[in-house]
Amino acid sequence: MNVLIVYTHPNHKSLCDAFLQEIISACEQNNNIQEWKVVDLYQEDFNPVLVFNERKRRRDMHTDPDYENYRQQIIWADKIVFIYPIWWGRPPAMLLGYFDQVFAANFAYRAKGKYLAEGLLEGKTAVCISTMKGPAYYPLFLLNNAHKMLMKKAVLNFAGIKKVKFFEFGSMELPNGNQQQKLKKIYSYFKRLQH
């Protein structure tokens, strides 16, 4: 199994980075994982701004050479892991810009009839690991689970990735947020991961 880790946090002293390090350690110990790669969108200075003009046409995004490396990483991966904080009830703009540009029509999906689309990334699975300052129930009760709906339904399922697992960790800035227990949970999950 090939695992692609898309890391989206500007601070490498963050809890998101601690989750990243646990996943890397677990991948190294898991015989089911042949290879793993990390894409650090902030470190790579990924430009999340979507541009359409005479030179960059929307219909050609699936062949845009600026994103060929990212498309090849998606093709290579069996499992895609997204690590990010929840800001304003949603993932960072950096990650949303990644989806805007990499998950393009005729790469991640294609039109099927007038109103339907066909996901082209079938067979892949995803894991979403998110942290937030607020309590874990906040997105569910106050935001109608908007974050999960966005990631699962509007992006990943739409692109054909039907199996999506979520780890949402709230109250992460509190001293008693059980951070070590949650890090162990992620390590254990990835160490036993089979696909």
Side-chain angles (χ1 to χ4, degrees):
M1 173 176 34
N2 294 331
V3 177
L4 177 65
I5 307 165
V6 181
Y7 176 79
T8 312
H9 198 291
N11 183 357
H12 276 277
K13 293 183 179 177
S14 67
L15 185 59
C16 281
D17 187 74
F19 281 119
L20 172 63
Q21 299 313 316
E22 290 298 317
I23 293 168
I24 290 170
S25 294
C27 286
E28 290 171 345
Q29 300 298 315
N30 187 333
N31 292 329
N32 296 312
I33 298 174
Q34 295 160 337
E35 286 187 72
W36 52 269
K37 295 179 185 176
V38 177
V39 177
D40 184 333
L41 296 179
Y42 280 95
Q43 191 173 52
E44 293 188 13
D45 203 20
F46 183 89
N47 184 356
V49 178
L50 184 60
V51 174
F52 297 140
N53 53 35
E54 297 78 27
R55 191 178 72 81
K56 285 191 172 253
R57 298 184 185 277
R58 186 172 184 183
R59 67 176 174 255
D60 299 329
M61 283 182 60
H62 68 290
T63 59
D64 187 328
D66 292 343
Y67 304 102
E68 177 62 20
N69 186 45
Y70 296 105
R71 289 191 299 272
Q72 289 304 316
Q73 291 167 348
I74 296 288
I75 291 168
W76 168 85
D78 299 303
K79 184 173 291 293
I80 308 167
V81 180
F82 299 96
I83 306 171
Y84 53 91
I86 298 292
W87 293 332
W88 295 103
R90 52 133 182 93
M94 180 72 80
L95 181 56
L96 298 179
Y98 172 87
F99 289 130
D100 285 347
Q101 295 171 95
V102 178
F103 280 49
N106 297 316
F107 170 70
Y109 68 95
R110 69 175 158 230
K112 187 177 182 182
K114 190 172 183 180
Y115 299 108
L116 300 175
E118 175 187 10
L120 300 177
L121 302 179
E122 288 186 1
K124 298 182 185 300
T125 60
V127 178
C128 297
I129 301 167
S130 59
T131 61
M132 66 191 100
K133 181 179 180 178
Y137 64 80
Y138 181 80
L140 178 62
F141 293 110
L142 299 180
L143 298 174
N144 295 321
N145 230 6
H147 156 249
K148 275 188 180 176
M149 292 294 285
L150 168 71
M151 290 296 289
K152 185 173 184 180
K153 300 286 185 187
V155 178
L156 299 171
N157 285 180
F158 191 81
I161 302 172
K162 301 300 183 191
K163 187 177 175 187
V164 182
K165 174 131 180 96
F166 285 89
F167 291 96
E168 291 183 315
F169 298 117
S171 303
M172 289 294 90
E173 292 186 15
L174 295 177
N176 60 350
N178 295 319
Q179 291 88 346
Q180 289 304 315
Q181 179 185 359
K182 288 161 183 164
L183 289 166
K184 287 178 184 175
K185 180 177 183 176
I186 291 297
Y187 175 84
S188 177
Y189 175 81
F190 280 92
K191 188 175 180 185
R192 292 178 288 119
L193 191 64
Q194 294 184 358
H195 190 64

